[in-house]
Amino acid sequence: MPEVELKLEIAPEDAEVLIASDLLGASGESREQRSTYFDTDDRRLFKGGFSLRIRHLGKTRLQTVKAAASTASLFSRGEWERQVTSDVPIIEHGTPLQAVFGDIGQALTPIFEVDVARRVWNVVEGKSNIEVSLDLGDILADERRQRICEIELELKDGDPIDLFRLARRIVAIIPAKIGVRSKAERGYRLLEAASSAAKAEPTDLAPDMTAEAAFRRIAQSCFRQFRLNESVLLRRRSEDALHQARVALRRLRSALYLFKAHLGEDAGRFSSEFRWLAGLLGDVRNLDVLLAKVTEDEVREKLLDAREKACTVAVEALSSSRASALAMDFYEWIHCGPYRDEPALQLPAKEFARKALDKCRRKLKKHGRELATVGDEDRHRVRKDAKKLRYASEFFQALFASKRDGRRYKHFSDAMETVQDHLGALNDLASSLAVLRKHGLESVIAKAAGDQAGKRGLIRDAQAALDQLIETKRFWR
């Protein structure tokens, strides 16, 4: 089993509480680190999936080039280090930078700094040796500053389960969130003042992967999207971040659905818990959709008050011990769960993907035949079927990389988007009446019901879009 690193984000005031607890043993070695990150004015390195830093460690300068996970898969390794004698980067053939970007050296300039005090402990947990690093400091970008306090646990040798055992002992002493961003990512986001929502990133799958490795990569990608948006939500109640956090949870539950026959009973428990969080976020999202349509001041005031209350409930849930335990349990399960030895998941990911996509398509075709003759609840089920097919298509797209597959994927994706637009409009009509009733706004239900006049047309358009999708050539066949 490969080594696992785990990052925990904590509040600066809790760092001394952890140190004073003696959980990590005698006071660890302390060292100052100052890292300067370089890029071009138009951020070519970052956009290309790389970071470049020079770190001061006492009198030593260490230059490090790192490739993001999706970029690293193109090379034999994802990190290149060398000592340098100045604060000017050296671009050489030993890293991919020259091959990818050409003569980029003269265009590089310092863009942000990371200054931290790092304390290091070597901890024995069970039969494993774990290096624990506590970083406390600042990221400085232009005139902006962001405090950083995080713990990194790196398994040097032993069992990954011991790493999570130690993490749980830490969390029993101080509150912590699983970290999914590197310091470089934090710096770029600060540089761009990017406290906005994080959309789903392309899932980096390779044709020679097993289904088990593909699931692990997909699940980590979905979890990362959720954590990035959760971090924004816990700082400010962003409508976009809330929507994307909900999308991430839907994608995560779709991934569990696609692989559920081979994941064991844990998958059902996780899906149920993620449904709980998604439902609370959905309560807020439904109000946001309705607020975009309402113009009457009195009604807007009531809806805004309801949104504030619903958002408070959702944020409190995200901050709860239940949510923290869920995140830790799920992250451990991704890396160490018994599903990883399931024989069916040792099949090629491409073979698994074809079967999974066919299953999703058949289910959508079956349930979406007669939208005009079923009720809102059944149409909502069709909408969920369509989302599962769309997410599955996005998850597995990279496995089908020929030009023909690319053309077919584009047509299929466009058809899927049209289907979701029409089914989403129908769902908004159905849910708006329920939201108004829930919040005691019967006085405007009659007007909202008037919007139902165009429902037949929407159903007609949705059916036509569904029929067109089913006729569209499958990119995976």
Side-chain angles (χ1 to χ4, degrees):
M1 189 175 291
E3 289 189 354
V4 180
E5 284 188 353
L6 180 61
K7 185 177 294 188
L8 300 175
E9 296 176 358
I10 67 173
E13 58 269 22
D14 289 327
E16 291 302 322
V17 176
L18 177 63
I19 294 170
S21 72
D22 289 331
L23 172 65
L24 303 178
S27 182
E29 175 191 352
S30 182
R31 63 184 82 147
E32 299 292 324
Q33 293 184 349
R34 177 167 60 84
S35 301
T36 303
Y37 285 78
F38 296 81
D39 206 334
T40 62
D41 290 338
D42 56 358
R43 308 292 182 258
R44 269 177 272 169
L45 294 189
F46 182 67
K47 292 174 183 176
F50 291 91
S51 67
L52 168 62
R53 74 174 185 230
I54 293 179
R55 172 170 288 172
H56 285 231
L57 297 167
K59 295 181 179 180
T60 301
R61 291 180 176 91
L62 188 65
Q63 175 180 294
T64 304
V65 175
K66 287 188 178 183
S70 58
T71 308
S73 63
L74 302 175
F75 304 96
S76 59
R77 55 196 174 111
E79 184 171 325
W80 300 261
E81 285 189 341
R82 60 159 294 167
Q83 285 193 18
V84 291
T85 58
S86 72
D87 291 330
V88 178
I90 295 176
I91 308 301
E92 58 184 359
H93 293 292
T95 78
L97 295 187
Q98 193 169 69
V100 175
F101 301 102
D103 188 14
I104 199 174
Q106 295 298 317
L108 294 175
T109 185
I111 54 170
F112 61 86
E113 288 188 356
V114 178
D115 293 338
V116 298
R118 167 168 287 190
R119 300 180 75 164
V120 180
W121 293 261
N122 292 304
V123 178
V124 176
E125 179 71 27
K127 296 182 179 180
S128 301
N129 293 310
I130 300 170
E131 182 179 277
V132 180
S133 302
L134 171 63
D135 288 346
L136 179 61
D138 297 282
I139 301 175
L140 305 155
D142 289 338
E143 299 300 318
R144 305 185 184 99
R145 177 188 296 266
Q146 182 182 94
R147 195 72 169 151
I148 183 171
C149 190
E150 61 186 25
I151 302 167
E152 293 182 4
L153 293 85
E154 181 180 352
L155 185 68
K156 292 300 185 181
D157 60 72
D159 191 334
I161 289 177
D162 288 332
L163 185 145
F164 286 96
R165 285 179 180 146
L166 179 58
R168 292 177 189 281
R169 292 175 66 190
I170 292 173
V171 172
I173 297 171
I174 58 172
K177 289 282 188 181
I178 292 175
V180 295
R181 290 180 297 172
S182 66
K183 293 180 178 67
E185 285 183 276
R186 287 171 174 263
Y188 278 103
R189 288 179 69 82
L190 181 63
L191 189 70
E192 299 167 4
S195 57
S196 58
K199 294 186 177 181
E201 298 167 335
T203 308
D204 176 42
L205 302 184
D208 59 348
M209 272 184 170
T210 64
E212 180 270 326
F215 169 73
R216 199 157 21 94
R217 186 71 58 85
I218 291 167
Q220 288 184 81
S221 175
C222 296
F223 182 77
R224 170 181 160 83
Q225 184 193 6
F226 169 69
R227 279 289 297 119
L228 290 174
N229 287 290
E230 181 192 33
S231 295
V232 175
L233 272 177
L234 293 177
R235 294 195 305 272
R236 62 184 187 89
R237 300 182 176 189
S238 161
E239 179 180 337
D240 289 340
L242 184 141
H243 173 58
Q244 289 300 327
R246 185 165 168 250
V247 167
L249 290 174
R250 282 205 307 256
R251 295 177 76 242
L252 189 47
R253 294 188 64 229
S254 292
L256 292 170
Y257 165 80
L258 291 170
F259 290 85
K260 70 177 181 179
H262 313 294
L263 297 178
E265 61 184 17
D266 286 330
R269 177 173 67 87
F270 287 127
S271 183
S272 177
E273 285 292 274
F274 287 130
R275 185 194 300 119
W276 158 64
L277 282 178
L280 296 177
L281 296 174
D283 290 341
V284 186
R285 179 65 179 168
N286 288 339
L287 288 162
D288 286 336
V289 170
L290 195 53
L291 276 163
K293 300 177 180 179
V294 171
T295 57
E296 296 88 344
D297 290 343
E298 183 179 352
V299 177
R300 283 189 61 80
E301 185 176 341
K302 290 184 178 180
L303 290 176
L304 285 169
D305 181 61
R307 184 193 190 277
E308 182 65 21
K309 291 177 181 176
C311 202
T312 296
V313 171
V315 169
E316 287 177 350
L318 293 174
S319 304
S320 68
S321 58
R322 178 180 175 182
S324 296
L326 170 61
M328 184 66 73
D329 288 349
F330 182 69
Y331 208 66
E332 178 179 347
W333 179 72
I334 290 175
H335 290 286
C336 309
Y339 75 89
R340 298 192 61 181
D341 297 323
E342 173 65 31
L345 292 181
Q346 307 315 310
L347 294 173
K350 198 168 185 177
E351 180 180 338
F352 183 94
R354 286 195 174 105
K355 294 178 181 178
L357 287 162
D358 278 339
K359 180 181 177 180
C360 289
R361 181 178 176 275
R362 283 196 304 270
K363 191 171 183 180
L364 178 60
K365 182 179 180 180
K366 176 183 177 181
H367 293 159
R369 284 173 177 163
E370 298 291 341
L371 292 181
T373 63
V374 299
D376 290 333
E377 186 173 335
D378 286 324
R379 281 190 288 268
H380 181 53
R381 180 174 66 172
V382 174
R383 180 171 177 255
K384 291 193 289 186
D385 290 341
K387 284 185 178 295
K388 288 173 183 174
L389 178 57
R390 180 179 181 179
Y391 294 146
S393 300
E394 293 171 351
F395 293 153
F396 295 129
Q397 181 212 351
L399 297 174
F400 305 93
S402 72
K403 289 184 178 180
R404 188 207 70 164
D405 293 342
R407 289 193 300 270
R408 287 189 175 183
Y409 177 79
K410 178 65 167 62
H411 294 315
F412 194 85
S413 179
D414 289 345
M416 280 267 26
E417 186 173 348
T418 302
V419 167
Q420 286 206 262
D421 286 345
H422 290 308
L423 292 176
L426 282 169
N427 185 67
D428 287 346
L429 277 181
S431 63
S432 62
L433 296 178
V435 172
L436 289 169
R437 289 192 183 97
K438 179 178 179 179
H439 296 286
L441 292 167
E442 284 82 357
S443 60
V444 292
I445 284 180
K447 180 177 179 183
D451 293 337
Q452 311 287 313
K455 192 171 185 177
R456 289 182 186 175
L458 282 175
I459 293 174
R460 213 167 33 243
D461 291 342
Q463 187 68 67
L466 268 170
D467 293 343
Q468 179 62 46
L469 174 64
I470 297 303
E471 292 298 319
T472 301
K473 290 182 178 179
R474 292 168 284 177
F475 66 88
W476 62 93
R477 288 292 180 185

